[in-house]
Amino acid sequence: MNKPSFLQNGILLWRNLTSCGGAFRPEGRDYRRAFLINVMLLAAMGVFGLFTLLNLLVFNDFEVAMVDLLAFICSSTALIYFRTSRDVERSSFITTFIVGLALLVFLYLTKHYEYSLFWLATFPPFAYFLNGTKRGTLAVAMLFLPVFVMLVVNLGVWQPAPYELVSIYNISIAFIALAILVYFYEKSRHQAHVQLQFIKAREATEKERNRLLREMHDGLGAQLTTALYATRNEQASIDEVANYLQLALEDLRIMMDSMQAFDGDVATLLGQLRYRLERRIQQAGLELTWKVDDLPNFPAMTPQDALNLQRIVQETLVNTIKHAKASKISLVAKMKAPNCLKIQVTDNGCGFDDQQDGFTGRGLSNLHYRAVELNAGLTINTQPSKGCCVALLIPVAKTSNS
Amino acid sequence: MTREKISVALVDDDPAVRQRFKASIEKHPDLFWLGEAGCVRSGKALALSSSPRVLLVDLGLPDGSGMEIIKEVNQKQPTTEIMVVSMFGDEGHVVQAIEAGASGYILKDTDDLSLAEHIIQLCDGGSPMSPMIARHLLKRMQATEAYSKKNLGNNLDDSSEAASLTRREMQLLKLLARGYTYREVAEDLNVSSHTVNSHIKNLYRKLSVKTKNEAVFAATRQGLLDMRALD
């Protein structure tokens, strides 16, 4: 029983250390950088501490031991500072600065002896992982510039370095430190990826649920309520109630259609909508002219876009069926330009005065709202007794012929 | 013009639906009610013993899926036309059923007159096909065609030709997928609506042939079947 609890304690301690005592939650924005800062400071402490002891006790190099000790103290202070302040930006900078300076001083003192140059290779990961690409490049340049100057100036001055036990220590520990750095970077990157996927999936589910709730509330719920009240108050004939219910069922089917996988085929989306509304169009005595071109596929179009498009066209057609008192209606869908899809619904009905208050009501604002979400241009051209023309211009990104 | 009455049987677990369908079919002069069943087991027995011209099958049954009935009846009794009874006519359910051998579907709320019309239309030619389903079938046929060309070379020319789409059929499926009605398709392609219907019937048949071929390919690849034994 003792051993696993010891291991568990170790894991808990590690989690505590890398998240500043739980201050950074895995779903938080800065968790990953905080994790990296802590891991890198811990690694720096380990390496500097180890070399303080090695230089003091084994290699008898007092100067380098002092540099290592100083660096060890600085990184411990930085770790404590980060733990209390939780200032990610500043701690990243401080960590990079300490490590860079320690490496530079180490090189200055030992020159190229003891294979000290190997250690420089551990700096770019530090710099980039903690500071991002821009500041990382700056930090690398600031360290490597003096290093190269030193190397060039000392060409012919420095003698070949001996290869001995201390070289092996330096080479192998530098390698291990580098491997550990990259390992933890990759690990935190993977964690972040998993976390991101999780958040995305949760958001998508949430969005979908809200959408379904809204539709059930506005569409189905409203229709069923109307049917129920009409039946209760015996205001409506059985035929009328049957019609309400039929509409509710048809709306439910359109909802089902919108839940099918969408792969960018707008022509079928429109076709399916016609198929679902055909009965109502015929019942309203409308003569429908259908002109849907062989449209290309729009792979960049999202299911959300498809839903908005479906709803705009559906509401436009239903408005005509319900309110326009028209005898003819037409739908045209074609490419207006290689990157612009045009869908136009025209009727010869009673039209309306779009300046008048009653018509700026919910139906139209819904259309505009959805058009904005779709990033499409929506124009409604109408005058009393002169019919109505609703045109939708949808910018479409790259297209491919299916 | 007299013709033989079309015999119809129904498998559905909802007694109300059975009653409604029975009433409306018995009312129609060209249709003849053969019987009904409420589960997979009795449904299979009914279909295989009475061999109806048209079998209507609901997918969700208490002791299993209607798909089992469709597969078995399609295999043992190819003269029976099978139609799925669906609440929503959604792509997922219907396409699967068509691939199993159904040649159309009917919505549960279809009114009495249209119900009879649909059944007669099914026997005359094609059953109605929604744009989503047309599109799905089109994509599927193209995918299997590409697959056959790539993997089978010239070995199976005869059978794959029999099951591949003609240019006309391709045009027709494309128009249907864009929402054009049969009448409009007929005008557009300059053929009679009867021709469109027979094309549709062929399409349904090809799809199930295609599916059978795929099963054969898969079995051959796994070494379960010797191609030479199939001739």
Side-chain angles (χ1 to χ4, degrees), chain A residues 43 47 50-51 103 114-123 125 163 166-184:
Chain A
V47 170
L50 181 66
F51 272 90
L103 290 175
E114 301 179 13
Y115 286 72
S116 57
L117 287 166
F118 267 97
W119 281 101
L120 288 170
T122 60
F123 187 71
Y163 180 68
V166 65
S167 320
I168 294 181
Y169 276 115
N170 271 301
I171 294 169
S172 51
I173 298 175
F175 278 0
I176 292 167
L178 186 59
I180 289 174
L181 277 184
V182 178
Y183 169 81
F184 277 105

Side-chain angles (χ1 to χ4, degrees), chain A residues 223 243-244 246-252 254 273-288 314-315 317-323 329:
Chain A
Q223 282 160 341
N243 197 36
Y244 288 138
Q246 178 84 55
L247 290 183
L249 193 55
E250 281 166 5
D251 269 16
L252 187 59
I254 293 176
L273 194 56
R274 175 189 188 180
Y275 177 75
R276 295 298 193 195
L277 292 174
E278 186 78 40
R279 188 193 68 86
R280 296 175 68 178
I281 293 170
Q282 278 181 9
Q283 211 176 40
L286 279 168
E287 188 191 313
L288 171 66
Q314 182 190 350
E315 277 167 36
L317 292 174
V318 169
N319 278 343
T320 300
I321 294 171
K322 271 190 182 167
H323 307 299
I329 182 170

Side-chain angles (χ1 to χ4, degrees), chain A residues 18-55:
Chain A
T18 54
S19 66
C20 292
F24 291 95
R25 311 287 313 154
E27 58 272 16
R29 201 171 61 89
D30 283 327
Y31 173 77
R32 192 162 158 247
R33 274 178 86 192
F35 176 86
L36 278 175
I37 291 173
N38 282 317
V39 167
M40 291 187 179
L41 283 173
L42 285 170
M45 277 169 65
V47 170
F48 290 133
L50 181 66
F51 272 90
T52 310
L53 294 177
L54 281 175
N55 280 308

Side-chain angles (χ1 to χ4, degrees), chain B residues 3-8 26 28-33 53:
Chain B
R3 56 197 261 173
E4 205 182 328
K5 279 191 175 188
I6 297 165
S7 59
V8 183
E26 281 182 336
H28 199 280
D30 292 343
L31 303 178
F32 164 68
W33 184 253
R53 179 77 208 284

Side-chain angles (χ1 to χ4, degrees), chain B residues 157-193:
Chain B
D157 259 356
D158 290 349
S159 67
S160 50
E161 208 168 291
S164 70
L165 293 179
T166 63
R167 213 169 55 85
R168 215 354 98 83
E169 285 166 343
M170 194 84 96
Q171 280 176 325
L172 189 136
L173 265 185
K174 276 186 173 167
L175 286 171
L176 287 180
R178 269 146 60 197
Y180 288 94
T181 61
Y182 285 11
R183 197 171 47 79
E184 288 164 350
V185 170
E187 276 169 25
D188 203 84
L189 299 182
N190 235 338
V191 294
S192 71
S193 63

Side-chain angles (χ1 to χ4, degrees), chain A residues 246 249-250 252-253 256-258 260-261 263-265 267-276 278-279 288-295 297 402, chain B residues 86-93 105 107-111 118 128-133 135-136 139 142 174-181 183-184:
Chain A
Q246 178 84 55
L249 193 55
E250 281 166 5
L252 187 59
R253 290 201 180 114
M256 296 285 291
D257 288 342
S258 75
Q260 302 292 329
D263 63 351
D265 186 350
T268 301
L269 182 148
L270 294 173
Q272 186 73 10
L273 194 56
R274 175 189 188 180
Y275 177 75
R276 295 298 193 195
E278 186 78 40
R279 188 193 68 86
L288 171 66
T289 311
W290 188 258
K291 257 188 80 71
V292 173
D293 283 2
D294 193 2
L295 302 171
N297 244 24
S402 62
Chain B
S86 164
M87 178 63 87
F88 299 114
D90 53 312
E91 192 182 345
H93 284 119
Y105 72 94
L107 295 172
K108 264 196 182 157
D109 64 308
T110 308
D111 61 62
H118 274 90
M129 193 184 271
S130 82
M132 256 187 174
I133 291 166
R135 150 88 176 166
H136 186 97
K139 269 176 82 173
Q142 285 168 340
K174 276 186 173 167
L175 286 171
L176 287 180
R178 269 146 60 197
Y180 288 94
T181 61
R183 197 171 47 79
E184 288 164 350

